[in-house]
Amino acid sequence: MKPLPLGVRVAAGLAVTALEQARRLPQQLAGLPLTVVSEAMQLSMRVQQHVTELAIKGDDVLSGLRPAEEEPEWATFDEDETPVTTSQETPADDASADDPWEEEERAIVAEAPEFLPTYEELSIAQLRARLRNLDVDQLEELLRYEKAHESRPEFVGMLNRRIATVKAQS
C-alpha cells in the first residue's frame, strides 16, 4: 500500500490532537482561574524585578554624575549621636589620628574587606543599612580601608560614630 501524501497525514494528526484537547478541556477549565492568577502574579513579579534592576543601574550611573549629598540637619540616626565621654576617655578620632602604625596599616590594606567585598560600590545609605550587622573589629577595618583609599569625610565620620556607639553599648 502506498503511503498517503504528507498533507493528508498532517491534517489527520491535527484532527486527532484537536479531539484529544477537546476531551481534556473540562479538566483544564476547572484549573483555569488558578492558572491565570498564578501566571499574572509571576508576570507582575518579573516586571517588578526588571524595574528594580533598571533603577539600580540608573542609580549607579547617576551617582557618578552628582556630587555626594550632605545629610540634612534634621536627619539623625543612632550612630550619629555623640557618645558621652568622661575626661579620662578619648574619642576614637583622637586615638586613630595619633597612631604611629596607621600609615603602615593603610599600606597593608589593599582590597575591600572580605566580609563586605562590595564596599566601594555602596552609597552612604546602603553602607549605613549594613553597619548594624558588623562588630567593632569589622567597623575599624572598614574605617582603616576608607582612610587608606578615598577618605570620604561623610563615610569616615559615620564609621567613627558607629564604632563609638558600638563600644558604648558593650
Side-chain angles (χ1 to χ4, degrees), residues 140-154:
E140 288 174 344
E141 184 178 343
L142 277 179
L143 181 60
R144 282 191 300 274
Y145 179 81
E146 178 64 34
K147 285 182 177 180
H149 291 84
E150 295 185 42
S151 196
R152 299 167 286 191
E154 61 274 9

Side-chain angles (χ1 to χ4, degrees), residues 92-164:
D93 292 336
D94 295 340
S96 63
D98 297 333
D99 187 2
W101 301 103
E102 185 173 333
E103 193 63 36
E104 184 177 341
E105 288 175 0
R106 284 185 187 178
I108 292 172
V109 178
E111 296 180 354
E114 289 182 18
F115 58 87
L116 197 54
T118 60
Y119 174 76
E120 289 190 6
E121 300 168 10
L122 299 177
S123 68
I124 195 160
Q126 292 169 325
L127 177 61
R128 177 178 286 119
R130 288 168 174 79
L131 290 182
R132 294 188 187 278
N133 299 327
L134 303 178
D135 61 28
V136 173
D137 294 334
Q138 292 171 325
L139 290 166
E140 288 174 344
E141 184 178 343
L142 277 179
L143 181 60
R144 282 191 300 274
Y145 179 81
E146 178 64 34
K147 285 182 177 180
H149 291 84
E150 295 185 42
S151 196
R152 299 167 286 191
E154 61 274 9
F155 281 69
V156 171
M158 183 175 64
L159 288 166
N160 278 324
R161 290 187 299 273
R162 184 63 187 158
I163 289 169

